[in-house]
Amino acid sequence: MESFSITDMGRTRDSNQDSVFCEENAVGVFPNLFLVADGMGGHNAGDLASKIGIEAFVENIRNCERRTPVGGMEDALRAANEAILNKSYEDPAFRGMGTTLVGMVVLEDTACVINIGDSRLYRIRDGIEQITVDHSLVEEMVLSGELQKDQMRTHPNKNIITRALGTTPYPKPDFFDVDIREKDVFLLCSDGLSNMLDDKEIEKIIDNEDRSLSEIGQDLIDAANEAGGKDNISAVLVRI
């Protein structure tokens, strides 16, 4: 397994509210850990929310006594949520801040995935497949039949999310078990990438096993910026 992470401010924002974590070696009892968080709540608050969320999640995993990935990640998510809420209570300037989070642990023959918000995880294998389901208004519109999937990226309400860390005492993440095979590539990304590039464009950049993940990651950032770079852009790539 190999991995690579990259984050970029984009072309229109004056700060980067995304945070990433990429470790292919052991983190506590976990054999590896990969995370992307996209903060919200204003210039400083969004930066802080994603940073606190990632740090609290990782720290909890480092001290985790649970052996099951789902239980461990669920505990870590609650700890991250509590850390963000506590910080928001300390200063009125941070009220309402929050962050998305998508995470993955690769085991022997499966990957365990957690997500809350609209940061995504894709698997590229003979095509591209979005594993996570966005917690967003436009996703709900797609599921209800009001909107077509290919209209999500351009809808005016595409940035309204329905779940996030730091917005409620009881966060509700989704969990996915995903089978893995040799040469699979997984992409964890913020919506600064998925809103700028459609799935086929992402697949075309990633689906080349002769290129390094660092080259692929930089190409994803460059393509998103060339498409407008309207938000911060983050990607974590994992190749089996």
Side-chain angles (χ1 to χ4, degrees):
M1 183 176 66
E2 58 179 327
S3 62
F4 177 75
S5 64
I6 188 168
T7 185
D8 187 85
M9 192 164 65
R11 289 189 169 178
T12 65
R13 299 297 178 92
D14 58 3
S15 67
N16 192 343
Q17 299 185 357
D18 289 358
S19 296
V20 301
F21 183 83
C22 180
E23 181 53 74
E24 60 192 69
N25 297 308
V27 180
V29 297
F30 281 29
N32 48 70
L33 184 62
F34 307 99
L35 303 167
V36 170
D38 181 358
M40 60 186 188
H43 178 93
N44 293 323
D47 298 358
L48 191 60
S50 66
K51 183 174 182 288
I52 290 174
I54 290 279
E55 289 179 350
F57 193 100
V58 172
E59 182 64 20
N60 190 274
I61 294 296
R62 291 194 193 280
N63 298 307
C64 176
E65 295 182 357
R66 287 192 188 237
R67 293 289 173 175
T68 62
V70 170
M73 288 201 290
E74 188 170 29
D75 286 349
L77 187 103
R78 288 174 182 158
N81 189 69
E82 183 177 358
I84 296 168
L85 281 175
N86 288 342
K87 189 65 177 180
S88 70
Y89 296 150
E90 292 177 6
D91 190 332
F94 298 142
R95 297 284 167 80
M97 72 177 182
T99 185
T100 70
L101 187 137
V102 59
M104 179 177 73
V105 176
V106 177
L107 307 175
E108 290 184 4
D109 55 3
T110 61
C112 184
V113 177
I114 186 173
N115 88 290
I116 187 166
D118 63 352
S119 294
R120 293 180 177 177
L121 184 137
Y122 291 93
R123 180 180 62 192
I124 293 82
R125 175 206 293 170
D126 299 325
I128 187 169
E129 179 184 3
Q130 182 181 333
I131 302 299
T132 55
V133 178
D134 295 350
H135 300 139
S136 67
L137 179 62
V138 290
E139 183 68 44
E140 290 182 356
M141 294 171 70
V142 169
L143 293 174
S144 68
E146 297 177 58
L147 193 70
Q148 296 298 312
K149 186 75 173 176
D150 59 4
Q151 297 175 311
M152 292 176 65
R153 291 173 53 240
T154 57
H155 195 278
N157 293 327
K158 66 180 181 295
N159 293 323
I160 298 177
I161 60 176
T162 55
R163 298 190 216 172
L165 290 180
T167 60
T168 173
Y170 306 104
K172 296 181 180 179
D174 288 339
F175 294 94
F176 303 87
D177 283 326
V178 188
D179 74 287
I180 59 175
R181 298 180 190 170
E182 187 177 355
K183 298 184 180 180
D184 281 353
V185 177
F186 291 92
L187 168 68
L188 297 81
C189 66
S190 62
D191 67 345
L193 180 66
S194 56
N195 281 341
M196 291 294 99
L197 304 176
D198 65 30
D199 290 2
K200 287 298 182 183
E201 290 171 314
I202 293 172
E203 178 192 1
K204 185 177 180 181
I205 294 170
I206 294 177
D207 194 15
N208 189 333
E209 63 186 68
D210 296 325
R211 301 175 65 242
S212 70
L213 291 186
S214 60
E215 292 175 310
I216 291 170
Q218 188 61 59
D219 284 351
L220 288 170
I221 298 295
D222 292 344
N225 276 323
E226 288 170 9
K230 295 180 180 179
D231 200 352
N232 309 142
I233 312 157
S234 294
V236 172
L237 291 155
V238 181
R239 181 186 279 151
I240 307 302

